[in-house]
Amino acid sequence: MGRVGREGKGLKLGVILIVAATVLVVGVTGMVRGWELQRRGLCCENLKAIRAALLAHADEGTPRSSAHTIQSLIERGHLAPARVTCLSARTSNYVVVLPAPSANAGKIVAAYEPKSNHGGRGGAVVFADGGSAFVPGSDYDALIATIHSGPPSE
């Protein structure tokens, strides 16, 4: 009779361990996803800061064709150095585009990050009107292609 009681306790302990392991795996997966979502949000904020710095730089009367590089924005005090690094990629590789003024500013890319920054799953983009978003997969590819093919039509 003592033996039956021990097997019952062993079975309960095994079930408890399986449930605990499952909860741990689900919890860790959720935390990793949360960190990546936070990093994506930070990339959007960084791109917004770059756009704002470009506007401040232009307001100084600097011609659009001269030195609108990220480094020049940092040197002139318009952009904090911390704003130019993607935390997911741990690198500074944002791309600045100098779009011509347009009534369609909400669809025109002003700056973006390479898709590789987030494992090829998409990238953060800031538009000429100041809006920003993390654009996933093939939508990102199509949007970035518009930079090279001209502005989207309304």
Side-chain angles (χ1 to χ4, degrees):
M1 196 188 271
R3 203 171 217 180
V4 172
R6 285 186 198 150
E7 287 176 6
K9 288 181 183 176
L11 180 62
K12 289 179 186 176
L13 180 59
V15 169
I16 290 171
L17 289 175
I18 290 171
V19 169
T22 302
V23 167
L24 183 63
V25 167
V26 169
V28 169
T29 302
M31 284 181 11
V32 170
R33 281 188 183 153
W35 291 333
E36 179 57 22
L37 287 175
Q38 181 181 19
R39 290 179 185 139
R40 290 176 184 182
L42 286 172
C43 286
C44 287
E45 291 301 316
N46 287 347
L47 288 170
K48 282 183 175 182
I50 291 169
R51 179 188 168 276
L54 284 169
L55 293 175
H57 193 61
D59 286 347
E60 290 180 349
T62 307
R64 287 181 59 82
S65 60
S66 69
H68 274 95
T69 65
I70 291 175
Q71 188 59 39
S72 72
L73 295 172
I74 292 170
E75 289 169 0
R76 295 186 71 141
H78 293 300
L79 186 64
R83 287 295 195 174
V84 299
T85 301
C86 170
L87 294 177
S88 289
R90 290 187 167 79
T91 187
S92 175
N93 61 356
Y94 295 126
V95 179
V96 175
V97 180
L98 298 174
S102 168
N104 215 5
K107 295 180 180 179
I108 298 175
V109 175
Y112 66 96
E113 67 177 335
K115 192 175 176 180
S116 60
N117 282 10
H118 297 278
R121 292 181 297 276
V125 175
V126 67
F127 299 94
D129 71 350
S132 69
F134 184 86
V135 182
S138 60
D139 292 341
Y140 172 89
D141 295 333
L143 184 62
I144 299 307
T146 65
I147 294 169
H148 306 292
S149 64
S153 58
E154 286 194 64

Coordinates of all heavy atoms in Angstrom, one line a residue, residues 63-110:
P63 N 21.2 74.8 -47.1 CA 20.6 74.2 -48.3 C 20.3 72.7 -48.2 O 21.1 72.0 -47.5 CB 21.6 74.5 -49.4 CG 22.5 75.6 -48.9 CD 22.5 75.4 -47.4
R64 N 19.3 72.2 -48.8 CA 18.9 70.8 -48.7 C 20.0 69.9 -49.2 O 20.2 68.8 -48.8 CB 17.6 70.5 -49.4 CG 16.4 71.0 -48.8 CD 15.2 70.7 -49.6 NE 15.0 69.3 -49.8 CZ 14.4 68.4 -48.9 NH1 14.0 68.9 -47.8 NH2 14.3 67.2 -49.2
S65 N 20.8 70.4 -50.2 CA 21.8 69.6 -50.8 C 23.0 69.4 -50.0 O 23.9 68.6 -50.3 CB 22.1 70.1 -52.2 OG 22.7 71.4 -52.0
S66 N 23.2 70.2 -48.9 CA 24.5 70.2 -48.2 C 24.3 69.4 -46.9 O 23.4 69.6 -46.1 CB 25.0 71.6 -47.9 OG 24.1 72.2 -47.0
A67 N 25.2 68.5 -46.7 CA 25.5 67.8 -45.4 C 24.3 67.5 -44.5 O 24.3 67.8 -43.4 CB 26.5 68.6 -44.6
H68 N 23.3 66.9 -45.1 CA 22.2 66.4 -44.3 C 22.5 65.0 -43.8 O 21.6 64.1 -43.9 CB 20.8 66.4 -45.1 CG 20.2 67.7 -45.0 ND1 20.3 68.6 -46.0 CD2 19.3 68.3 -44.1 CE1 19.6 69.7 -45.7 NE2 19.0 69.5 -44.6
T69 N 23.7 64.8 -43.4 CA 24.0 63.4 -42.9 C 23.7 63.4 -41.4 O 23.7 64.4 -40.7 CB 25.5 63.2 -43.1 OG1 26.3 64.1 -42.4 CG2 25.9 63.3 -44.6
I70 N 23.6 62.2 -40.9 CA 23.3 62.0 -39.5 C 24.5 62.6 -38.7 O 24.3 63.2 -37.7 CB 23.1 60.5 -39.2 CG1 21.7 60.1 -39.8 CG2 23.1 60.3 -37.7 CD1 21.4 58.7 -39.7
Q71 N 25.7 62.4 -39.1 CA 26.9 62.9 -38.4 C 26.9 64.4 -38.3 O 27.2 64.9 -37.2 CB 28.2 62.4 -39.1 CG 29.4 62.7 -38.2 CD 29.4 62.1 -36.9 OE1 29.0 61.0 -36.7 NE2 29.8 62.8 -35.9
S72 N 26.5 65.1 -39.4 CA 26.4 66.5 -39.3 C 25.3 67.0 -38.3 O 25.5 68.0 -37.7 CB 26.2 67.1 -40.7 OG 24.9 66.9 -41.2
L73 N 24.3 66.2 -38.3 CA 23.2 66.6 -37.3 C 23.7 66.5 -35.9 O 23.3 67.3 -35.0 CB 22.0 65.7 -37.6 CG 21.3 65.9 -38.9 CD1 20.2 64.8 -39.1 CD2 20.7 67.3 -39.1
I74 N 24.5 65.5 -35.6 CA 25.0 65.3 -34.3 C 26.0 66.4 -34.0 O 26.0 67.0 -32.9 CB 25.7 63.9 -34.2 CG1 24.7 62.8 -34.2 CG2 26.5 63.8 -32.9 CD1 25.3 61.4 -34.4
E75 N 26.9 66.7 -34.9 CA 27.9 67.7 -34.7 C 27.3 69.1 -34.5 O 27.9 69.9 -33.7 CB 28.9 67.8 -35.9 CG 29.8 66.6 -36.0 CD 30.5 66.5 -37.4 OE1 30.3 67.4 -38.3 OE2 31.2 65.5 -37.6
R76 N 26.2 69.4 -35.1 CA 25.6 70.7 -34.9 C 24.7 70.7 -33.7 O 24.0 71.8 -33.4 CB 24.8 71.1 -36.2 CG 25.7 71.2 -37.4 CD 25.0 71.7 -38.5 NE 24.6 73.1 -38.2 CZ 24.7 74.1 -39.1 NH1 25.1 73.8 -40.3 NH2 24.3 75.3 -38.8
G77 N 24.5 69.6 -33.0 CA 23.7 69.6 -31.7 C 22.3 69.4 -32.0 O 21.5 69.6 -31.0
H78 N 21.8 69.0 -33.2 CA 20.4 68.8 -33.4 C 20.0 67.4 -33.1 O 18.8 67.1 -33.0 CB 20.1 69.0 -34.9 CG 20.3 70.4 -35.3 ND1 19.6 71.5 -34.8 CD2 21.1 71.0 -36.3 CE1 19.9 72.6 -35.3 NE2 20.8 72.3 -36.2
L79 N 20.9 66.5 -32.9 CA 20.6 65.1 -32.7 C 21.5 64.4 -31.6 O 22.8 64.6 -31.7 CB 20.7 64.3 -34.0 CG 20.3 62.9 -34.1 CD1 18.8 62.8 -33.8 CD2 20.6 62.3 -35.5
A80 N 21.0 63.8 -30.7 CA 21.8 63.1 -29.6 C 22.4 61.8 -30.2 O 21.7 61.1 -31.0 CB 20.9 62.7 -28.4
P81 N 23.6 61.5 -30.0 CA 24.3 60.3 -30.5 C 23.5 59.0 -30.2 O 23.5 58.1 -31.0 CB 25.7 60.3 -29.9 CG 25.9 61.8 -29.5 CD 24.6 62.3 -29.2
A82 N 22.9 59.0 -29.1 CA 22.1 57.8 -28.7 C 20.9 57.5 -29.6 O 20.5 56.4 -29.7 CB 21.6 57.9 -27.3
R83 N 20.5 58.5 -30.4 CA 19.4 58.4 -31.3 C 19.7 57.7 -32.6 O 18.8 57.6 -33.4 CB 18.7 59.8 -31.5 CG 18.0 60.3 -30.4 CD 16.8 59.5 -30.1 NE 15.9 60.2 -29.2 CZ 14.7 59.7 -28.9 NH1 14.3 58.5 -29.4 NH2 13.9 60.3 -28.1
V84 N 20.9 57.4 -32.8 CA 21.3 56.9 -34.1 C 21.6 55.4 -34.1 O 22.1 54.8 -35.1 CB 22.4 57.7 -34.8 CG1 22.0 59.1 -35.0 CG2 23.7 57.6 -34.0
T85 N 21.3 54.7 -33.0 CA 21.7 53.3 -32.9 C 20.4 52.4 -32.7 O 19.6 52.7 -31.8 CB 22.6 53.0 -31.7 OG1 23.8 53.8 -31.9 CG2 23.0 51.6 -31.6
C86 N 20.2 51.5 -33.5 CA 19.2 50.5 -33.4 C 19.6 49.5 -32.3 O 20.6 48.9 -32.4 CB 18.9 49.8 -34.7 SG 17.8 48.4 -34.5
L87 N 18.8 49.3 -31.3 CA 19.1 48.4 -30.2 C 19.1 46.9 -30.6 O 19.8 46.1 -30.1 CB 18.2 48.6 -29.0 CG 18.4 50.0 -28.3 CD1 17.4 50.1 -27.2 CD2 19.8 50.2 -27.8
S88 N 18.2 46.6 -31.6 CA 18.2 45.2 -32.1 C 19.5 44.9 -32.8 O 20.0 43.8 -32.7 CB 17.0 45.0 -33.0 OG 15.8 45.0 -32.2
A89 N 19.9 45.7 -33.7 CA 21.1 45.5 -34.5 C 22.4 45.9 -33.9 O 23.5 45.5 -34.3 CB 20.9 46.1 -35.9
R90 N 22.2 46.7 -32.8 CA 23.4 47.3 -32.1 C 24.3 48.0 -33.1 O 25.5 47.9 -33.0 CB 24.1 46.2 -31.3 CG 23.3 45.8 -30.1 CD 24.1 44.8 -29.2 NE 23.5 44.6 -28.0 CZ 22.5 43.8 -27.8 NH1 22.0 43.1 -28.7 NH2 22.1 43.6 -26.5
T91 N 23.7 48.7 -34.0 CA 24.5 49.5 -35.0 C 23.8 50.7 -35.4 O 22.6 50.9 -35.2 CB 24.8 48.6 -36.2 OG1 25.7 49.3 -37.1 CG2 23.6 48.2 -37.0
S92 N 24.6 51.6 -36.0 CA 24.0 52.9 -36.5 C 23.9 52.8 -38.0 O 24.9 52.9 -38.7 CB 24.8 54.1 -36.1 OG 24.4 55.2 -36.7
N93 N 22.7 52.4 -38.5 CA 22.6 52.3 -40.0 C 21.3 52.8 -40.5 O 20.8 52.3 -41.5 CB 22.8 50.8 -40.4 CG 21.8 49.8 -39.8 OD1 21.0 50.3 -39.0 ND2 21.9 48.6 -40.1
Y94 N 20.7 53.8 -39.9 CA 19.5 54.4 -40.4 C 19.8 55.1 -41.7 O 20.9 55.6 -41.9 CB 19.0 55.4 -39.4 CG 18.5 54.8 -38.1 CD1 18.9 55.3 -36.9 CD2 17.6 53.8 -38.1 CE1 18.5 54.7 -35.7 CE2 17.1 53.2 -36.9 CZ 17.6 53.7 -35.7 OH 17.2 53.1 -34.5
V95 N 18.8 55.1 -42.6 CA 19.0 55.7 -43.9 C 18.1 57.0 -44.0 O 16.9 56.9 -43.7 CB 18.6 54.7 -45.0 CG1 18.8 55.4 -46.4 CG2 19.5 53.5 -44.9
V96 N 18.7 58.1 -44.3 CA 18.0 59.4 -44.5 C 17.7 59.6 -46.0 O 18.6 59.5 -46.8 CB 18.8 60.5 -43.9 CG1 18.1 61.9 -44.2 CG2 19.0 60.3 -42.4
V97 N 16.4 59.9 -46.2 CA 16.0 60.2 -47.6 C 15.6 61.7 -47.6 O 15.0 62.1 -46.6 CB 14.8 59.3 -48.0 CG1 14.4 59.6 -49.4 CG2 15.2 57.9 -47.8
L98 N 15.9 62.4 -48.6 CA 15.5 63.8 -48.7 C 14.4 64.0 -49.7 O 14.6 64.3 -50.8 CB 16.7 64.7 -49.1 CG 17.9 64.7 -48.1 CD1 19.0 65.5 -48.6 CD2 17.4 65.2 -46.7
P99 N 13.1 63.7 -49.2 CA 12.0 63.8 -50.2 C 11.7 65.2 -50.5 O 11.8 66.1 -49.7 CB 10.9 63.1 -49.4 CG 11.2 63.3 -48.0 CD 12.7 63.3 -47.9
A100 N 11.3 65.4 -51.7 CA 10.8 66.7 -52.1 C 9.5 67.0 -51.4 O 8.7 66.1 -51.2 CB 10.6 66.8 -53.7
P101 N 9.2 68.2 -51.1 CA 7.9 68.6 -50.5 C 6.7 68.1 -51.4 O 6.8 68.1 -52.6 CB 7.9 70.1 -50.4 CG 9.3 70.5 -50.5 CD 10.0 69.4 -51.3
S102 N 5.7 67.5 -50.7 CA 4.6 67.0 -51.5 C 3.3 67.0 -50.6 O 3.4 66.9 -49.4 CB 4.9 65.5 -51.8 OG 3.7 64.8 -52.3
A103 N 2.2 67.1 -51.3 CA 0.9 67.0 -50.6 C 0.6 65.6 -50.0 O -0.2 65.4 -49.2 CB -0.2 67.5 -51.5
N104 N 1.4 64.7 -50.5 CA 1.2 63.3 -50.2 C 2.2 62.8 -49.1 O 2.7 61.7 -49.1 CB 1.5 62.5 -51.5 CG 0.6 61.3 -51.6 OD1 -0.3 61.1 -50.7 ND2 0.8 60.5 -52.6
A105 N 2.6 63.8 -48.2 CA 3.7 63.5 -47.3 C 3.5 62.3 -46.4 O 4.5 61.7 -45.9 CB 3.9 64.8 -46.4
G106 N 2.3 61.9 -46.1 CA 2.0 60.8 -45.3 C 2.4 59.4 -45.9 O 2.3 58.4 -45.2
K107 N 2.7 59.5 -47.2 CA 3.1 58.2 -47.9 C 4.5 58.2 -48.3 O 5.0 57.3 -48.9 CB 2.2 58.0 -49.1 CG 0.7 57.8 -48.7 CD -0.1 57.6 -50.0 CE -1.6 57.3 -49.7 NZ -2.4 57.1 -50.9
I108 N 5.2 59.3 -48.1 CA 6.6 59.5 -48.6 C 7.6 59.2 -47.4 O 7.5 59.8 -46.4 CB 6.8 60.8 -49.2 CG1 5.9 61.0 -50.4 CG2 8.3 61.0 -49.6 CD1 5.9 62.4 -51.0
V109 N 8.5 58.3 -47.7 CA 9.5 57.9 -46.6 C 10.5 59.0 -46.5 O 11.1 59.5 -47.5 CB 10.2 56.6 -47.0 CG1 11.3 56.3 -46.0 CG2 9.2 55.5 -47.1
A110 N 10.8 59.5 -45.2 CA 11.8 60.5 -45.0 C 13.1 59.8 -44.4 O 14.2 60.3 -44.7 CB 11.3 61.5 -44.0

